[in-house]
Amino acid sequence: MNEEHVEPEATMRLSVQHLAKAYVTHRPWPLAKRNKVLEDASLEVMPREIVALVGANGSGKSTLMMIVAGVLSRDAGTIHIDGRIGYCPQYPVLYEKLTVAETFRLFGVAYRMTGEETEQRASSLMAELAFANYRDHRVEHLSGGTRQKLSLALAVLHDPELLLLDEPYSGFDYETYLRFWDMSKEIAGRGHSILAISHFVQEQERFDRIYQIRDGRCERER
Ligand SMILES: Nc1ncnc2c1ncn2[C@@H]1O[C@H](COP(=O)(O)OP(=O)(O)OP(=O)(O)O)[C@@H](O)[C@H]1O
Ligand SMILES: [Mg+2]
C-alpha cells in the first residue's frame, strides 16, 4: 500500500473570506453614491508568519485591516481569528493630554493587565524602541516618529497573537526601522503572526507572503 504521510493542518491565525465593503456617501438621492472598495477579498495568515498587504493608494488596505481589527463594519464575508489582536492604525489615535507613561497605564487597564505587568512591559518596549526619555512627556509634544513608536508599543503591549500593522514604520529613522524588524522576527519566532501594510518594494524578502489588493480582491503574489 502506498502510504502517504500527511502533516496535520496547522491552525490558521487569521482567515478572511469573501470580504465586501462599500462606503456610502450620505447625500440626498440621486447624489448618494456607493463606493465599492472590497468586493471579494480573501486572505490567510498562519502562525509564525509575517505577511504583507500591498496595493496602490486608495486600494482598500486600511479598510480591510480596520474590518479585521473590528473598528469598521463589513457588508459581507467572514473573519476568523485565533488569539488576541493588537492593532496599530495608519494614523496614531492617542490622547494628547496624557503623558507616555499614563497612556501605557490606560491601555494596560483596557487589556486587563496588572499595573506591574504594564510597567515592566512598557519599560522594556520603550527601551527597545528607544523612547524611554519621553516617558513623562505629554503626547501633544511628541514628534511624529515618537508617536508612531508609542502607537506600535501600545499595539504589542499585551503580547497579542495577531498583530495588525498599518504602515507602522513610515516615520521611523533607520535604526528604529531595523529594531522594528528584529522585534517582528522575535514575535513571529514565538509562534505569533503579523499582517503588515507596506509600500516598500525593497523589503519583500522580509515577508513570508505578500498579498496585493487590486480591484477589491487580494491576489497572492507569493
Ligand atoms: N470613511 C470613509 N468614507 C468614504 N470613503 C472612504 C472612507 N475611508 C476610505 N474611503 C475610500 O475608500 C478607498 C480605500 O481607502 P483605504 O484608506 O482603505 O485605502 P488604502 O489602500 O489604505 O490607501 P493608502 O495607501 O493611501 O493608505 C479610498 O477610495 C477612500 O477614499
Ligand atoms: Mg491606508
Side-chain angles (χ1 to χ4, degrees):
M1 204 171 100
N2 184 12
E3 272 196 17
E4 206 182 333
H5 178 71
V6 180
E7 285 287 327
E9 208 174 299
T11 327
M12 229 170 268
R13 180 70 70 210
L14 168 67
S15 170
V16 174
Q17 301 297 330
H18 312 298
L19 201 61
K21 175 73 184 177
Y23 289 105
V24 183
T25 53
H26 292 287
R27 297 171 72 189
W29 186 89
L31 298 174
K33 266 198 194 158
R34 279 173 67 81
N35 174 18
K36 284 188 192 172
V37 176
L38 302 172
E39 295 213 38
D40 184 9
S42 302
L43 63 80
E44 285 161 0
V45 180
M46 308 299 280
R48 295 183 177 276
E49 277 189 331
I50 304 177
V51 175
L53 190 56
V54 303
N57 292 136
S59 57
K61 304 178 297 296
S62 296
T63 299
L64 186 148
M65 192 165 276
M66 284 193 279
I67 294 172
V68 174
V71 297
L72 186 69
S73 65
R74 59 186 183 263
D75 298 335
T78 58
I79 296 172
H80 290 289
I81 298 165
D82 181 32
R84 290 166 302 178
I85 303 179
Y87 171 49
C88 183
Q90 184 167 5
Y91 306 105
V93 181
L94 300 163
Y95 294 94
E96 299 294 317
K97 297 292 173 196
L98 296 185
T99 66
V100 168
E102 288 164 350
T103 305
F104 275 117
R105 283 203 285 280
L106 178 72
F107 275 71
V109 170
Y111 291 145
R112 296 175 193 278
M113 294 165 71
T114 65
E116 201 178 328
E117 273 171 353
T118 305
E119 179 56 38
Q120 279 179 5
R121 183 92 176 123
S123 296
S124 109
L125 287 166
M126 281 188 280
E128 204 172 345
L129 291 168
F131 69 108
N133 46 332
Y134 293 104
R135 170 183 205 103
D136 297 315
H137 288 225
R138 278 198 194 176
V139 166
E140 63 185 346
H141 297 140
L142 299 180
S143 70
T146 308
R147 275 168 183 264
Q148 254 182 327
K149 289 181 187 185
L150 176 58
S151 184
L152 174 64
L154 293 170
V156 298
L157 185 65
H158 57 313
D159 197 23
E161 284 82 5
L162 176 64
L163 189 52
L164 303 168
L165 306 175
D166 194 342
E167 297 190 41
Y169 38 67
S170 48
F172 286 174
D173 55 53
Y174 190 60
E175 198 176 314
T176 310
Y177 172 79
L178 295 178
R179 284 171 195 239
F180 163 80
W181 276 108
D182 287 345
M183 199 167 143
S184 298
K185 273 187 231 150
E186 184 271 326
I187 290 170
R190 286 189 289 108
H192 294 192
S193 312
I194 300 174
L195 178 64
I197 293 173
S198 164
H199 278 296
F200 297 151
V201 187
Q202 66 269 29
E203 64 186 10
Q204 292 199 355
E205 76 286 355
R206 292 189 187 267
F207 292 102
D208 296 304
R209 236 135 34 71
I210 297 175
Y211 286 100
Q212 162 127 26
I213 299 199
R214 193 180 287 138
D215 300 329
R217 291 181 167 75
C218 299
E219 296 168 10
R220 192 173 156 169
E221 300 236 308
R222 69 172 171 85

